[in-house]
Tab-separated table of all heavy atoms in Angstrom:
chain	number	residue	atom	x	y	z
A	44	GLU	N	95.390	84.182	117.429
A	44	GLU	CA	96.404	85.215	117.742
A	44	GLU	C	95.832	86.481	118.252
A	44	GLU	O	96.491	87.302	118.959
A	44	GLU	CB	97.321	85.441	116.560
A	44	GLU	CG	96.631	85.740	115.249
A	44	GLU	CD	96.377	84.541	114.425
A	44	GLU	OE1	95.483	83.710	114.793
A	44	GLU	OE2	97.042	84.333	113.352
A	45	ASP	N	94.538	86.737	117.917
A	45	ASP	CA	93.877	87.979	118.308
A	45	ASP	C	93.714	88.125	119.841
A	45	ASP	O	93.627	89.251	120.309
A	45	ASP	CB	92.532	88.095	117.666
A	45	ASP	CG	92.636	88.463	116.168
A	45	ASP	OD1	93.781	88.728	115.691
A	45	ASP	OD2	91.646	88.459	115.497
A	46	VAL	N	93.754	86.998	120.543
A	46	VAL	CA	93.631	87.090	121.948
A	46	VAL	C	94.753	87.890	122.586
A	46	VAL	O	94.553	88.818	123.352
A	46	VAL	CB	93.558	85.686	122.620
A	46	VAL	CG1	93.540	85.810	124.096
A	46	VAL	CG2	92.292	84.956	122.136
A	47	ARG	N	95.989	87.583	122.174
A	47	ARG	CA	97.134	88.340	122.764
A	47	ARG	C	97.201	89.784	122.184
A	47	ARG	O	97.593	90.704	122.870
A	47	ARG	CB	98.436	87.583	122.512
A	47	ARG	CG	98.965	87.510	121.098
A	47	ARG	CD	100.324	86.835	121.083
A	47	ARG	NE	100.965	86.823	119.769
A	47	ARG	CZ	100.774	85.886	118.817
A	47	ARG	NH1	99.944	84.833	119.145
A	47	ARG	NH2	101.371	85.926	117.708
A	48	PHE	N	96.823	89.907	120.906
A	48	PHE	CA	96.833	91.247	120.373
A	48	PHE	C	95.832	92.188	121.045
A	48	PHE	O	96.127	93.353	121.406
A	48	PHE	CB	96.548	91.222	118.843
A	48	PHE	CG	97.568	90.474	118.065
A	48	PHE	CD1	97.260	89.829	116.862
A	48	PHE	CD2	98.892	90.417	118.472
A	48	PHE	CE1	98.208	89.180	116.166
A	48	PHE	CE2	99.871	89.748	117.755
A	48	PHE	CZ	99.521	89.113	116.537
A	49	LEU	N	94.664	91.740	121.245
A	49	LEU	CA	93.603	92.566	121.806
A	49	LEU	C	93.737	92.784	123.298
A	49	LEU	O	93.164	93.721	123.869
A	49	LEU	CB	92.211	91.894	121.528
A	49	LEU	CG	91.797	91.875	120.016
A	49	LEU	CD1	90.524	91.095	119.818
A	49	LEU	CD2	91.662	93.293	119.446
A	50	THR	N	94.501	91.938	123.972
A	50	THR	CA	94.736	92.062	125.402
A	50	THR	C	96.054	92.670	125.689
A	50	THR	O	96.504	92.732	126.846
A	50	THR	CB	94.559	90.724	126.158
A	50	THR	OG1	95.529	89.804	125.564
A	50	THR	CG2	93.174	90.199	125.992
A	51	GLY	N	96.748	93.225	124.694
A	51	GLY	CA	97.975	93.868	124.902
A	51	GLY	C	99.165	92.961	125.236
A	51	GLY	O	100.173	93.426	125.815
A	52	LYS	N	99.055	91.773	124.830
A	52	LYS	CA	100.118	90.749	125.170
A	52	LYS	C	100.971	90.370	123.958
A	52	LYS	O	101.774	89.437	124.087
A	52	LYS	CB	99.542	89.531	125.860
A	52	LYS	CG	98.861	89.841	127.183
A	52	LYS	CD	98.126	88.664	127.737
A	52	LYS	CE	97.448	88.991	129.049
A	52	LYS	NZ	96.664	87.804	129.596
A	53	GLY	N	100.795	91.072	122.870
A	53	GLY	CA	101.605	90.846	121.713
A	53	GLY	C	103.050	91.227	122.023
A	53	GLY	O	103.311	92.086	122.860
A	54	ARG	N	104.006	90.592	121.346
A	54	ARG	CA	105.421	90.911	121.565
A	54	ARG	C	106.005	91.393	120.246
A	54	ARG	O	106.389	90.621	119.370
A	54	ARG	CB	106.202	89.688	122.032
A	54	ARG	CG	107.653	90.043	122.486
A	54	ARG	CD	108.229	88.758	123.182
A	54	ARG	NE	109.552	89.084	123.710
A	54	ARG	CZ	110.694	88.735	123.106
A	54	ARG	NH1	110.677	88.040	122.018
A	54	ARG	NH2	111.847	88.947	123.673
A	55	TYR	N	106.056	92.720	120.106
A	55	TYR	CA	106.586	93.351	118.930
A	55	TYR	C	108.045	93.703	119.120
A	55	TYR	O	108.528	93.634	120.237
A	55	TYR	CB	105.735	94.632	118.604
A	55	TYR	CG	104.277	94.307	118.306
A	55	TYR	CD1	103.308	94.272	119.351
A	55	TYR	CD2	103.878	94.017	116.988
A	55	TYR	CE1	102.019	94.010	119.047
A	55	TYR	CE2	102.530	93.720	116.702
A	55	TYR	CZ	101.622	93.731	117.765
A	55	TYR	OH	100.304	93.408	117.497
A	56	THR	N	108.696	94.083	118.034
A	56	THR	CA	110.146	94.354	118.151
A	56	THR	C	110.421	95.432	119.107
A	56	THR	O	111.414	95.403	119.888
A	56	THR	CB	110.739	94.695	116.774
A	56	THR	OG1	110.344	93.639	115.839
A	56	THR	CG2	112.251	94.742	116.844
A	57	ASP	N	109.621	96.440	119.175
A	57	ASP	CA	109.839	97.557	120.122
A	57	ASP	C	109.694	97.118	121.531
A	57	ASP	O	110.153	97.793	122.489
A	57	ASP	CB	108.982	98.780	119.831
A	57	ASP	CG	109.400	100.005	120.503
A	57	ASP	OD1	110.660	100.316	120.472
A	57	ASP	OD2	108.594	100.635	121.181
A	58	ASP	N	109.025	96.009	121.790
A	58	ASP	CA	108.875	95.461	123.130
A	58	ASP	C	110.123	94.789	123.613
A	58	ASP	O	110.259	94.399	124.816
A	58	ASP	CB	107.702	94.497	123.251
A	58	ASP	CG	106.352	95.167	122.960
A	58	ASP	OD1	106.167	96.268	123.434
A	58	ASP	OD2	105.477	94.540	122.308
A	59	ILE	N	111.032	94.526	122.713
A	59	ILE	CA	112.279	93.755	123.009
A	59	ILE	C	113.364	94.737	123.486
A	59	ILE	O	113.748	95.667	122.789
A	59	ILE	CB	112.733	92.923	121.828
A	59	ILE	CG1	111.698	91.881	121.483
A	59	ILE	CG2	114.104	92.324	122.095
A	59	ILE	CD1	111.923	91.157	120.175
A	60	ASN	N	113.918	94.522	124.663
A	60	ASN	CA	114.984	95.329	125.184
A	60	ASN	C	116.037	94.333	125.731
A	60	ASN	O	115.793	93.484	126.544
A	60	ASN	CB	114.464	96.232	126.302
A	60	ASN	CG	113.481	97.270	125.830
A	60	ASN	OD1	113.868	98.163	125.107
A	60	ASN	ND2	112.259	97.179	126.205
A	61	VAL	N	117.240	94.537	125.129
A	61	VAL	CA	118.374	93.641	125.488
A	61	VAL	C	119.169	94.335	126.651
A	61	VAL	O	119.384	95.543	126.562
A	61	VAL	CB	119.178	93.352	124.238
A	61	VAL	CG1	120.325	92.387	124.582
A	61	VAL	CG2	118.358	92.853	123.135
A	62	ASN	N	119.602	93.518	127.583
A	62	ASN	CA	120.376	94.060	128.689
A	62	ASN	C	121.559	94.882	128.184
A	62	ASN	O	122.359	94.422	127.385
A	62	ASN	CB	120.843	92.931	129.591
A	62	ASN	CG	121.497	93.380	130.833
A	62	ASN	OD1	121.098	94.354	131.444
A	62	ASN	ND2	122.587	92.724	131.218
A	63	GLY	N	121.668	96.085	128.659
A	63	GLY	CA	122.842	96.909	128.291
A	63	GLY	C	122.669	97.674	126.999
A	63	GLY	O	123.701	98.253	126.544
A	64	GLN	N	121.506	97.664	126.401
A	64	GLN	CA	121.360	98.242	125.059
A	64	GLN	C	121.476	99.766	125.108
A	64	GLN	O	121.170	100.462	126.103
A	64	GLN	CB	120.014	97.908	124.450
A	64	GLN	CG	118.795	98.634	125.042
A	64	GLN	CD	117.506	98.176	124.471
A	64	GLN	OE1	117.387	97.128	123.840
A	64	GLN	NE2	116.446	98.954	124.598
Side-chain angles (χ1 to χ4, degrees):
E44 51 269 71
D45 285 354
V46 173
R47 69 175 185 273
F48 296 151
L49 294 174
T50 57
K52 296 175 183 176
R54 187 170 185 259
Y55 298 90
T56 308
D57 193 50
D58 294 321
I59 295 170
N60 293 292
V61 183
N62 186 40
Q64 76 183 16

